[in-house]
Structures are given as structure tokens and as C-alpha cells.
Amino acid sequence: QVQLVESGGGSVQPGGSLRLSCAASTHTGGTTPNPFCMGWFRQIPGKEREKVAISYGDGSTYYAASVKGRFTISHDKGRNTRALQMNSLKPEDAGMYYCAADLVRANCLRNVFESWGQGSQVNVSS
């Protein structure tokens, strides 16, 4: 079972930047997991959960149209970590951001994510 620990988030004015990080580990402290897919979803009040940015083990990435050109997902400190750099933030970006991952390529391709983080709140207001 993969455990995801998130950090980052907070409050920023429109046009500002925030960075989210997510690290994968195992509950038993064994071999560092290497998820095939890992990234973020967000839950905005009144809206369905949205896939924001995902990186895949084949080197590909996915970005929601609403964040393309503003958000960048990358490896953080190793193959089991990811960072989401969010620039030019807008009020409509505010919400709870959840890190998600899966070890299995087939699951990732079916948009199935077995592991979820605790969530990071992002607030964007003036």
C-alpha cells in the first residue's frame, strides 16, 4: 500500500504562485515505491473533482485545459516525489488539491488511482 504525504498550498493573491509537493512511501517503510502515475486532482466547491496534472512513467504528462501553461508538474526530490508549480493563479483555482498515484500502468491508463493524499488547501483571493 502506497502512502502519499502532501505539503505546500496556502493563500495567495491572484497572479501569485504556490508549490505543492507529494511524496510516496510504503506504510511498512520498505522499498521506496515508484508509481507509474502520480499527480493532482482538485475539488472546488460546487464542482466535480477535476484531474489537474499527472505525470506518467513513460514520460508523458497530462494537464487540464484550464491550467495548461500556468501549472507545471515535475519530479521533486526523487522518482517517488512530485511537485506542482502553480503560477498565475486565479480565484477559480482555489480549492482542495489531492495528490493521487498508482503503481500499475494499466490502472493509470484507466484513470484509476489507488492511493490518495490528505489534501492541500489552495486559496486565491485579493
Side-chain angles (χ1 to χ4, degrees):
Q1 185 78 22
V2 174
Q3 179 180 21
L4 301 179
V5 177
E6 302 182 49
S7 60
S11 297
V12 68
Q13 292 186 339
S17 298
L18 287 173
R19 181 181 173 92
L20 304 179
S21 293
C22 182
S25 62
T26 59
H27 290 290
T28 58
T31 304
T32 300
N34 182 21
F36 183 81
C37 58
M38 191 167 174
W40 278 267
F41 288 74
R42 68 185 178 189
Q43 184 71 59
I44 297 173
K47 294 188 176 182
E48 291 188 1
R49 186 176 65 187
E50 177 186 20
K51 187 168 66 175
V52 176
I54 305 291
S55 71
Y56 296 89
D58 60 3
S60 63
T61 55
Y62 166 88
Y63 292 99
S66 58
V67 307
K68 201 170 289 186
R70 300 187 297 120
F71 291 13
T72 304
I73 187 170
S74 63
H75 284 74
D76 196 0
K77 297 185 178 71
R79 65 180 188 178
N80 64 319
T81 66
R82 297 292 186 277
L84 184 66
Q85 180 65 40
M86 304 183 291
N87 298 329
S88 302
L89 282 161
K90 305 175 181 179
E92 52 264 40
D93 293 318
M96 186 68 79
Y97 284 67
Y98 294 93
C99 180
D102 204 283
L103 296 171
V104 181
R105 181 177 181 273
N107 288 345
C108 294
L109 297 182
R110 293 187 294 119
N111 225 24
V112 172
F113 293 81
E114 183 177 282
S115 301
W116 292 82
Q118 78 276 16
S120 296
Q121 182 67 44
V122 170
N123 298 312
V124 185
S125 65
S126 53

